[in-house]
Amino acid sequence: MKQFFSILVLFILVLSCKAQQEVATSSNTNSTNINTQPKLVVGIVVDQMRYDYLTRFYSKYGEGGFKRMINEGFNCKNNHFNYVPTKTGPGHASIFTGTTPKYHGIIGNDWYDKTLKKQVYCAEDNNYASVGTTSDAGQMSPSRMLSTTFGDENRLFTQMRGKTIGISIKDRGATLPAGHTANAAYWFDFENNGSGNWITSTFYMNDLPKWVKDFNSSDITESYFKVWNTLYDINTYTESGSDLNSFEEIFKGKETATFPYDLQSLKDKNDNFKIIAESPYGNNLTTDFVLAAIDGEQLGQDDFADVLTISYSSPDKVGHIFGPNSKEVEDTYLRLDLELERLFKALDAKVGAGNYTVFLTADHAAPDALEYMKSVKIPSGFFDESKMQNELNDYLKTKYGITKGIVSRINNQLFFDYQLFEEKQLDLQAIKIELAKKLLNYDLIDKVYVTSAINQFENNSGVLETLLANGHNQKRSGDILFVFEPYVLKDTPWNRLGTDHGTAQNYDTHVPLLFFGKGIRKGETLQKTEITDIAPTISALLGISFPNGAIGQPLDFVLD
């Protein structure tokens, strides 16, 4: 009997030791999970960056910018937007919420509000006042965005101790990525002869922090009123077309769209500070302000992960003016590469190499200038939407006695005045189908879709139809959707030269996706990824809840 009790005691001791080891292992695992969380997540959006800018200009990039992300991080080579319209506001919202306009509600940069019966802007919010300027350029917020961002979820997870700061030349590029609970979002006051200050909204604060005031009172911004010439010998820019051509817009005060550009002499005729935003120096200025923010906000300096969202807006400005095949776009990206290197070196020094995680993507891409496409015999054209709307309204007036039954055409959608049709007791659904058939007879229109009686997109039978459905919000979107043939844009003065974007074509949807830093594997994939996968991936890295409307999947092959 004594021997039995001795064996029993020994057995209990063994089980106890094993349990203690398991607890210790579990504790170590939890500790490891905490230690793998970065101190700072930096989300970089390059406005209007096509995927092929990585490959076309690769040989001219240095080792510390794009190449550092590619060589040390993970490159998703087949990354696409999974909705239309591919515009700046929806793009930034989708990247950081992990969902599409169908759910987050940002269906365009602008859209027709059926309740207010007027066009609205995605970030405008007259409930708040400007901070840092006397104009209305600061009356902005993310309030029209219906979903949370991963920055919001990180704030909630850390009991608001982890900071979120959004920075961009454009207000929508700052407010939407930063989300609803952000500590701050800052943007550059450059439109309409703006002040040249970095400003914000009372949605975030009532007064600018000292570090922002110090930045605004310095001469940093004004220092970029200088000559923009090519970074390297222009004759080595063999990845782009001729500098002198007929496909590009021309700054007021210049006779041709050719280098060099003396911004000091051109600024008075080109809205003053706006010309900085429309040059690669807008990227330099953005990096300057980002570095001041990292210091001023002490980002990445405690045990709670912070989120910094950066949108480099100037590539979009340059792209719209000159087009993807221009020397100006090539030079902008070679200079941006140096800005990324400057940013990463600063993060190494201020946060610590291996303590931060970065992703880089774009809010949309862009087609080549349509006049250039014509010159190389690729079918392309411009469609007069204003004429089309007038013709359809004339038809409604003649047949049904309705004046201005179509109240808006925006984002390739038609919006009807429901009240007029109800007053005439007309079958709106039948008239939608009738007008859709007329639309389909127009040259350059490829496809037309009619929404249901309660404005639901029901035709979900193909790739294009899926993208349209993902971009369609039941309460906010239009009644008829029309799709142009490839390389067709609406005919406006600003589209006839340079470029625009917004379609479901690969030239608008295919954008870079690079991950780099703590918790990221080294590698690459041609597996298709979607823009809505980014936020769940970062959420998984941080160990936090996904944004509340997220539909994407974590890219587990990216995470270490």
Side-chain angles (χ1 to χ4, degrees):
M1 184 64 71
K2 286 183 179 181
Q3 186 177 8
F4 171 77
F5 280 112
S6 298
I7 293 172
L8 181 61
V9 169
L10 181 61
F11 180 69
I12 293 171
L13 286 172
V14 169
L15 288 178
S16 177
C17 289
K18 186 176 181 180
Q20 289 176 9
Q21 286 177 344
E22 288 177 351
V23 170
T25 301
S26 175
S27 177
N28 289 336
T29 301
N30 291 336
S31 177
T32 301
N33 287 339
I34 292 171
N35 291 334
T36 58
Q37 190 181 75
K39 289 180 173 292
L40 177 65
V41 171
V42 182
I44 300 175
V45 179
V46 183
D47 204 324
Q48 202 188 115
M49 185 175 182
R50 294 161 51 123
Y51 173 78
D52 68 346
Y53 291 164
L54 282 181
T55 54
R56 270 174 60 194
F57 309 139
Y58 186 85
S59 64
K60 286 187 169 62
Y61 290 142
E63 297 300 319
F66 289 115
K67 282 186 179 178
R68 182 177 176 187
M69 295 195 76
I70 292 169
N71 294 333
E72 297 181 21
F74 204 97
N75 183 4
C76 297
K77 295 181 174 183
N78 190 20
N79 184 62
H80 288 262
F81 278 87
N82 55 349
Y83 64 86
V84 286
T86 40
K87 296 284 188 178
T88 298
H92 284 78
S94 299
I95 291 164
F96 290 87
T97 63
T99 193
T100 69
K102 181 177 182 178
Y103 300 107
H104 63 57
I106 304 299
I107 62 171
N109 293 336
D110 307 270
W111 62 86
Y112 180 78
D113 188 298
K114 301 170 189 177
T115 302
L116 299 177
K117 295 189 175 182
K118 67 175 185 177
Q119 187 168 301
V120 295
Y121 173 59
C122 62
E124 73 177 338
D125 194 334
N126 295 329
N127 294 312
Y128 299 96
S130 300
V131 179
T133 183
T134 56
S135 75
D136 61 1
Q139 291 185 291
M140 306 289 167
S141 84
S143 297
R144 282 195 165 90
M145 184 170 67
L146 304 176
S147 304
T148 61
T149 65
F150 71 77
D152 286 325
E153 297 301 332
N154 187 62
R155 292 274 287 157
L156 294 170
F157 182 83
T158 62
Q159 300 299 311
M160 302 297 173
R161 289 185 282 246
K163 287 186 175 182
T164 299
I165 305 290
I167 295 171
S168 174
I169 291 282
K170 296 180 181 179
D171 50 61
R172 59 186 178 271
T175 55
L176 299 177
H180 303 276
T181 62
N183 300 80
Y186 301 102
W187 52 96
F188 187 48
D189 182 19
F190 69 93
E191 296 278 13
N192 304 312
N193 280 305
S195 64
N197 284 339
W198 286 86
I199 64 172
T200 190
S201 160
T202 53
F203 178 84
Y204 305 99
M205 63 190 72
N206 293 318
D207 193 18
L208 292 175
K210 182 179 182 301
W211 68 266
V212 179
K213 291 180 178 178
D214 289 344
F215 190 97
N216 286 338
S217 63
S218 72
D219 61 356
I220 294 174
T221 301
E222 286 76 7
S223 72
Y224 292 113
F225 286 129
K226 59 182 182 179
V227 175
W228 171 24
N229 210 338
T230 53
L231 184 63
Y232 307 117
D233 182 348
I234 195 170
N235 295 314
T236 67
Y237 284 28
T238 55
E239 297 79 12
S240 47
S242 171
D243 191 29
L244 180 61
N245 60 71
S246 59
F247 316 130
E248 302 170 7
E249 289 186 36
I250 303 172
F251 283 130
K252 294 176 183 176
K254 270 186 72 72
E255 295 182 359
T256 60
T258 56
F259 284 102
Y261 298 91
D262 185 347
L263 304 193
Q264 178 64 40
S265 65
L266 293 171
K267 67 183 178 68
D268 290 342
K269 293 183 179 180
N270 294 275
D271 282 350
N272 205 18
F273 291 103
K274 186 177 182 180
I275 202 166
I276 294 176
E278 294 178 338
S279 80
Y281 297 139
N283 294 331
N284 296 66
L285 179 62
T286 300
T287 306
D288 292 335
F289 191 77
V290 164
L291 299 187
I294 292 171
D295 287 338
E297 299 292 339
Q298 290 292 288
L299 297 178
Q301 299 303 312
D302 58 28
D303 294 332
F304 301 98
D306 297 324
V307 173
L308 172 63
T309 74
I310 307 168
S311 181
Y312 283 104
S313 305
S314 290
D316 181 71
K317 298 287 186 183
V318 175
H320 275 290
I321 294 169
F322 300 104
N325 201 47
S326 64
K327 302 287 189 194
E328 288 82 359
V329 161
E330 178 168 359
D331 192 68
T332 295
Y333 277 88
L334 298 184
R335 291 177 179 274
L336 176 59
D337 183 57
L338 297 179
E339 290 307 296
L340 293 175
E341 181 175 4
R342 182 159 72 107
L343 172 63
F344 297 155
K345 284 182 176 178
L347 290 171
D348 288 342
K350 298 173 185 293
V351 183
N355 287 331
Y356 62 90
T357 306
V358 180
F359 71 81
L360 181 147
T361 190
D363 55 345
H364 54 77
D368 280 292
L370 298 194
E371 291 298 332
Y372 171 63
M373 291 289 96
K374 288 182 182 180
S375 74
V376 294
K377 301 181 181 178
I378 293 178
S380 58
F382 296 98
F383 183 83
D384 191 337
E385 289 186 2
S386 180
K387 180 182 177 183
M388 173 267 290
Q389 182 180 352
N390 290 337
E391 289 174 350
L392 293 181
N393 269 329
D394 288 344
Y395 175 81
L396 290 173
K397 184 176 181 180
T398 300
K399 184 170 183 180
Y400 297 105
I402 293 176
T403 302
K404 293 184 178 179
I406 300 171
V407 291
S408 180
R409 47 160 185 85
I410 189 169
N411 301 320
N412 284 48
Q413 300 171 39
L414 299 181
F415 291 77
F416 290 83
D417 188 331
Y418 298 158
Q419 185 176 345
L420 289 179
F421 289 89
E422 288 174 2
E423 289 173 355
K424 294 277 188 179
Q425 296 183 333
L426 296 170
D427 185 343
L428 177 58
Q429 196 64 20
I431 294 173
K432 282 188 196 180
I433 295 170
E434 183 180 356
L435 293 185
K437 290 178 180 178
K438 287 189 169 295
L439 270 178
L440 201 55
N441 288 322
Y442 277 86
D443 290 339
L444 304 182
I445 287 183
D446 184 41
K447 292 178 176 62
V448 180
Y449 300 91
V450 176
T451 61
S452 72
I454 58 168
N455 198 33
Q456 286 183 311
F457 189 92
E458 296 183 320
N459 189 343
N460 204 15
S461 58
V463 174
L464 171 62
E465 289 75 14
T466 298
L467 268 64
L468 288 167
N470 285 339
H472 185 85
N473 183 278
Q474 188 177 2
K475 293 187 71 171
R476 295 181 176 180
S477 294
D479 301 287
I480 294 180
L481 293 74
F482 55 95
V483 178
F484 293 138
E485 294 173 0
Y487 290 113
V488 173
L489 296 173
K490 66 180 179 182
D491 189 7
T492 63
W494 56 88
N495 276 351
R496 291 170 195 160
L497 297 171
T499 192
D500 200 3
H501 47 84
T503 75
Q505 302 292 337
N506 284 323
Y507 51 64
D508 276 338
T509 67
H510 191 192
V511 296
L513 177 55
L514 303 173
F515 292 91
F516 155 73
K518 187 158 193 172
I520 304 299
R521 289 178 182 170
K522 179 180 176 181
E524 60 183 36
T525 185
L526 280 170
Q527 175 181 327
K528 186 172 184 180
T529 58
E530 296 183 331
I531 210 72
T532 50
D533 296 330
I534 297 172
T537 301
I538 296 298
S539 297
L541 176 69
L542 293 172
I544 62 176
S545 294
F546 292 3
N548 59 9
I551 63 171
Q553 297 298 315
L555 304 176
D556 58 343
F557 48 83
V558 164
L559 300 178
D560 206 354

